[in-house]
Amino acid sequence: MKLFLEVVPVGDAVAAIRRIAPPVVAETVALKDAYGRVLARDIIAGEDIPGFTRSVVDGYAVIAADTTGAGEAMPAMLANTGRVAMGAPEEQAIAPGECRYVPTGGILPPGADAMVMVEYTEAVGDEVLVHRPVAPGENLIARGEDFAGGDVVLEAGRRCSPRDLGVLAVLGVAEVPVAARPRVGIISTGNELVPVTATPGPAQVRDANSSLAAGFVTERGGVPVPYGIVRDERAALEEALATATAACDAVLLSGGSSKDERDICAATIGDAGEVLIHGIAIAPGKPTIIGRVGPAPVIGLPGHPASAYVVLIAIAGPLLAAMTGEREVVRSVAARLTRNIASARGREDYVRVALDGEGGAVPLFGKSGLLNTLAASSGLVRVPASREGLEVGEEVEVLLW
Amino acid sequence: MKLFLEVVPVGDAVAAIRRIAPPVVAETVALKDAYGRVLARDIIAGEDIPGFTRSVVDGYAVIAADTTGAGEAMPAMLANTGRVAMGAPEEQAIAPGECRYVPTGGILPPGADAMVMVEYTEAVGDEVLVHRPVAPGENLIARGEDFAGGDVVLEAGRRCSPRDLGVLAVLGVAEVPVAARPRVGIISTGNELVPVTATPGPAQVRDANSSLAAGFVTERGGVPVPYGIVRDERAALEEALATATAACDAVLLSGGSSKDERDICAATIGDAGEVLIHGIAIAPGKPTIIGRVGPAPVIGLPGHPASAYVVLIAIAGPLLAAMTGEREVVRSVAARLTRNIASARGREDYVRVALDGEGGAVPLFGKSGLLNTLAASSGLVRVPASREGLEVGEEVEVLLW
């Protein structure tokens, strides 16, 4: 029986989990369902957008040179040739000395090279007086100015925002190629655990880690598949692990927090498949297991909720990113530490912090068995393995939840 | 025919939309479906969590005073009284001079007030040698230390994160009280618009605003209800508006960008209900309409996509927050402007910016008819109505998308 784990650096653990991650599976979804999905391939403009030169104002299409020198005292006088209809082609060209009304968004007639805003004009009979000069190209969007045909507009690995949905719409991408959502099985073990619906007995607690993991998997684009609470016994655990790894693309096994429980988890994973890593140089979260059963990666999470969450962020996050192809976008803000953080060299420490709204990051030193500091925190500050701590006043990067 | 709108300050427009927002409707969802939902009431701990004093290490429960002065050379020697079983009550007390093995997460026996880590002990026959002293309370979580019964743990208006799901789980909140998702009808008008599935003709463009609005509504916790593209004609618009306002809690009418189109939208809303505001001191986005048909608020969005998006953020955001009860959490980062931004006093300007990764905010001055800068941007910088612009090097708050 080994009392101390042989730990590996966080970077090695991340590399290992990426190496065994199942490949991205592409599927298509209707544009209306693409919000929050990860693009499975680059989106390329199939044509110039817009496909014609459009006005961005209500006013008159002109030949810019006809307005040179125009002013309040000496307006340019142009022949009004009517108005273009929205959405209809406009084949009749503008000749020198002519103008034509174009509403915002309408097509410029051939020959016209600028728009004069209606506010700077005055219609007098069949003539339009223009009180300001315009330069060629003024007040219009040229054909292809938004996106040119052939441009890569959105890159694979991007998670679709509302703004991206607008881009996909103008490009005509009604069916969006996205990564299928990986199915991630979630098993909790621990003989002290009872389900959320139960009233805990004198030495029992409700299972928090299943819900933490399910929420995290959803947030990162997967589908959580709950397998409930399994007793800390080899036979029960073997059966649950076999079922989950057969049905899911990956499994998160919240493995209890005691050494006995960790050992049972590791032995069960090892017998059903292989244990690649048992112990990571991360705090909290050291007793993490990385293994594989068949093609399915299995992460053994520590039992303490805050430890489990740090490992979800640090290890399960890269796994889900690999399985969805999502480019990892770190949301972070710079802040100044309001207290010292002690650490140990050779280990990455993740400290929960709250932002105080005045540029300060307040370390929350709650025990990793507690949920209250996890819920109250804004994110994590990472203390690199090369440092022995961080000092009050030091500028740090807060990795936002 | 008025050429210029009578604009109201942004703050007045937000107050108006909040005033007419339908009230929050509460419903309950299963915990597994609560991710991303907004809590409809405060969540209060019904009991102490944990309900018993637990060990946070593998080791021996002791009376701390029995370890005073213990060291490598002079260990404390305690009688081993066995081990506690995980999840089972433990009624037999520890007497002075005794200890009992407790795995991580297990209950402390009555009488014990601290845990010694197993690493600092040595079992010898029926005795345990303790090589380090512990203080009362060391290595344990006291009953109620995470949450005390009666505490308000999560406040109404909070959007459930994965961490919150863990908290709800330990509290036993299997059915979560959340705000019902408001149904938001989305109508696009514009005779130049064609659906996403169509190939645009020579003067036509595909409808981007419906998808921008639908994505935004989803992001802010609503259910988008698409009504497609309606021709810019009173009869068609009246019918669509009547249908949408009868079936939905609110309606977003992407109202075309020309003055003619805006006037038709405003007249249609006014005849069916009332126009409260037509014109907001915001750029882009000035020609926004705020009205109401029956109990349903109607926002007339400008036709230019970037303008529409700024109005979604500035006006529809507060509407959805009011309808879901979500506390508005502004995600922002501080950055330094890499260029001057000119503005006009008396108007709030929203400028799209990209973060350059080196602390700089790069203004993207694309025309508001373009989507490319919207997709490429990281968020908005607000130029207050009281300023005439912002200067290069100035520290600004970037409101992240």
Side-chain angles (χ1 to χ4, degrees):
Chain A
M1 169 167 140
K2 286 186 299 184
L3 272 178
F4 297 99
L5 300 169
E6 286 167 29
V7 298
V8 305
V10 174
D12 292 3
V14 170
I17 199 76
R18 286 208 180 107
R19 206 157 45 233
I20 63 173
V24 176
V25 176
E27 65 182 17
T28 59
V29 295
L31 176 56
K32 70 178 178 54
D33 300 321
Y35 171 74
R37 300 298 296 267
V38 179
L39 291 176
R41 63 168 176 77
D42 290 349
I43 301 294
I44 295 167
E47 68 218 6
D48 287 345
I49 305 287
F52 58 96
T53 297
R54 315 179 70 182
S55 175
V56 298
V57 297
D58 293 338
Y60 290 92
V62 298
I63 297 166
D66 284 347
T67 67
T68 307
E72 286 297 331
M74 176 78 82
M77 188 178 291
L78 302 174
N80 188 349
T81 64
R83 57 184 294 155
V84 308
M86 289 301 285
E90 182 72 15
E91 278 154 21
Q92 200 193 331
I94 291 276
E98 291 181 347
C99 68
R100 194 168 304 150
Y101 188 83
V102 182
T104 307
I107 187 170
L108 260 69
D113 63 2
M115 287 292 302
V116 180
M117 290 174 74
V118 68
E119 288 87 336
Y120 303 123
T121 66
E122 189 181 343
V124 180
D126 292 340
E127 310 284 336
V128 174
L129 305 183
V130 174
H131 296 292
R132 280 201 190 179
V134 285
E138 203 165 329
N139 294 325
L140 53 81
I141 290 175
R143 176 184 175 132
E145 185 174 339
D146 207 352
F147 303 107
D151 279 0
V152 173
V153 173
L154 300 172
E155 290 184 356
R158 185 176 176 112
R159 191 185 272 245
C160 291
S161 71
R163 298 164 299 288
D164 297 336
L165 298 196
V167 171
L168 292 165
V170 294
L171 297 177
V173 185
E175 296 289 319
V176 185
V178 298
R181 293 187 195 274
R183 289 169 56 82
V184 181
I186 297 169
I187 303 171
S188 273
T189 74
N191 292 344
E192 81 280 26
L193 296 182
V194 297
V196 174
T197 47
T199 300
Q204 299 177 322
V205 292
R206 298 190 190 90
D207 171 24
N209 285 3
S210 285
S211 294
L212 283 177
F216 182 82
V217 166
T218 306
E219 182 182 78
R220 299 300 171 106
V223 177
V225 183
Y227 287 91
I229 301 165
V230 175
R231 282 191 69 80
D232 264 323
E233 291 161 0
R234 283 298 295 270
L237 205 49
E238 275 167 18
E239 187 187 328
L241 193 62
T243 306
T245 52
C248 298
D249 303 304
V251 171
L252 301 176
L253 173 60
S254 175
S257 41
S258 75
K259 168 136 181 47
D260 298 347
E261 292 168 314
R262 292 197 306 265
D263 287 346
I264 290 181
C265 286
T268 307
I269 297 169
D271 284 358
E274 58 178 329
V275 169
L276 301 168
I277 287 171
H278 189 183
I280 300 180
I282 189 172
K286 187 169 77 169
T288 299
I289 302 165
I290 295 177
R292 177 158 57 172
V293 176
V298 178
I299 300 178
L301 300 173
H304 285 155
S307 309
Y309 206 76
V310 164
V311 174
L312 286 170
I313 296 279
I315 309 296
L319 172 62
L320 278 151
M323 295 172 79
T324 59
E326 184 174 9
R327 265 185 306 145
E328 290 180 75
V329 178
V330 176
R331 278 271 163 125
S332 65
V333 298
R336 289 188 187 285
L337 276 186
T338 62
R339 286 178 60 184
N340 290 332
I341 295 177
S343 177
R345 197 185 289 269
R347 161 185 102 185
E348 278 190 14
D349 271 25
Y350 286 80
V351 179
R352 285 152 279 164
V353 297
L355 297 174
D356 63 8
E358 295 170 351
V362 183
L364 302 174
F365 293 115
K367 296 162 187 164
S368 61
L370 300 179
L371 279 155
N372 56 13
T373 50
L374 194 61
S377 57
S378 316
L380 294 171
V381 166
R382 193 175 70 89
V383 186
S386 59
R387 298 281 304 271
E388 285 183 348
L390 300 175
E391 288 183 18
V392 59
E394 189 167 338
E395 183 167 298
V396 293
E397 186 183 13
V398 178
L399 311 169
L400 296 173
W401 294 129
Chain B
M1 168 167 140
K2 285 187 297 184
L3 273 178
F4 297 99
L5 302 169
E6 284 168 30
V7 298
V8 304
V10 174
D12 292 3
V14 169
I17 199 77
R18 285 206 181 109
R19 206 158 44 231
I20 63 173
V24 176
V25 176
E27 64 182 19
T28 59
V29 296
L31 176 56
K32 71 179 179 52
D33 300 320
Y35 171 74
R37 300 298 297 266
V38 179
L39 291 177
R41 63 168 176 76
D42 291 349
I43 302 294
I44 295 167
E47 69 221 4
D48 286 346
I49 305 288
F52 57 97
T53 297
R54 314 179 69 183
S55 175
V56 298
V57 298
D58 292 338
Y60 291 91
V62 298
I63 297 166
D66 284 348
T67 67
T68 307
E72 285 298 331
M74 176 79 82
M77 186 177 292
L78 302 174
N80 189 349
T81 63
R83 56 183 294 154
V84 309
M86 290 300 284
E90 182 71 15
E91 278 156 21
Q92 200 193 332
I94 291 275
E98 291 182 346
C99 67
R100 192 168 306 149
Y101 188 83
V102 182
T104 306
I107 187 169
L108 260 70
D113 63 2
M115 288 291 302
V116 181
M117 289 174 75
V118 69
E119 288 87 336
Y120 304 123
T121 66
E122 188 180 345
V124 179
D126 293 339
E127 310 284 337
V128 175
L129 305 183
V130 174
H131 296 290
R132 281 200 190 182
V134 284
E138 203 164 330
N139 294 325
L140 53 80
I141 290 176
R143 174 186 176 130
E145 185 174 340
D146 207 351
F147 304 106
D151 278 0
V152 173
V153 174
L154 300 172
E155 290 185 357
R158 185 175 176 113
R159 192 186 272 245
C160 291
S161 71
R163 299 164 299 288
D164 297 335
L165 298 196
V167 171
L168 292 165
V170 293
L171 297 178
V173 185
E175 296 288 319
V176 186
V178 298
R181 293 188 195 274
R183 291 168 55 83
V184 181
I186 297 169
I187 304 172
S188 273
T189 74
N191 292 343
E192 80 280 25
L193 296 182
V194 296
V196 175
T197 47
T199 301
Q204 298 177 324
V205 292
R206 297 190 191 91
D207 172 24
N209 285 3
S210 285
S211 294
L212 284 177
F216 182 82
V217 166
T218 306
E219 183 180 79
R220 299 300 173 105
V223 177
V225 183
Y227 288 90
I229 301 165
V230 175
R231 282 190 68 79
D232 263 324
E233 291 162 1
R234 284 297 297 268
L237 205 49
E238 275 167 18
E239 188 188 327
L241 192 62
T243 306
T245 51
C248 297
D249 302 305
V251 171
L252 302 175
L253 173 60
S254 175
S257 40
S258 74
K259 169 139 183 42
D260 299 347
E261 293 167 315
R262 292 196 307 265
D263 287 346
I264 289 179
C265 286
T268 307
I269 297 168
D271 284 358
E274 57 178 328
V275 170
L276 301 168
I277 287 171
H278 188 182
I280 300 179
I282 190 173
K286 187 170 77 168
T288 299
I289 301 164
I290 295 177
R292 176 159 56 170
V293 176
V298 178
I299 300 177
L301 300 171
H304 286 155
S307 309
Y309 206 76
V310 164
V311 173
L312 286 170
I313 295 279
I315 309 295
L319 172 62
L320 278 150
M323 294 172 79
T324 60
E326 185 175 9
R327 266 185 306 145
E328 291 181 74
V329 178
V330 175
R331 278 270 162 125
S332 65
V333 297
R336 289 188 188 285
L337 277 186
T338 62
R339 289 177 58 183
N340 290 331
I341 295 177
S343 176
R345 199 185 287 271
R347 166 184 100 185
E348 277 191 14
D349 271 24
Y350 286 81
V351 178
R352 284 152 279 165
V353 297
L355 296 174
D356 64 8
E358 295 170 351
V362 183
L364 302 174
F365 292 116
K367 297 162 186 164
S368 61
L370 300 179
L371 279 154
N372 57 12
T373 49
L374 194 61
S377 58
S378 315
L380 294 171
V381 167
R382 193 175 71 89
V383 186
S386 59
R387 297 282 305 271
E388 285 182 348
L390 301 175
E391 286 182 20
V392 60
E394 189 168 338
E395 184 167 296
V396 293
E397 186 183 12
V398 178
L399 312 170
L400 296 174
W401 295 129

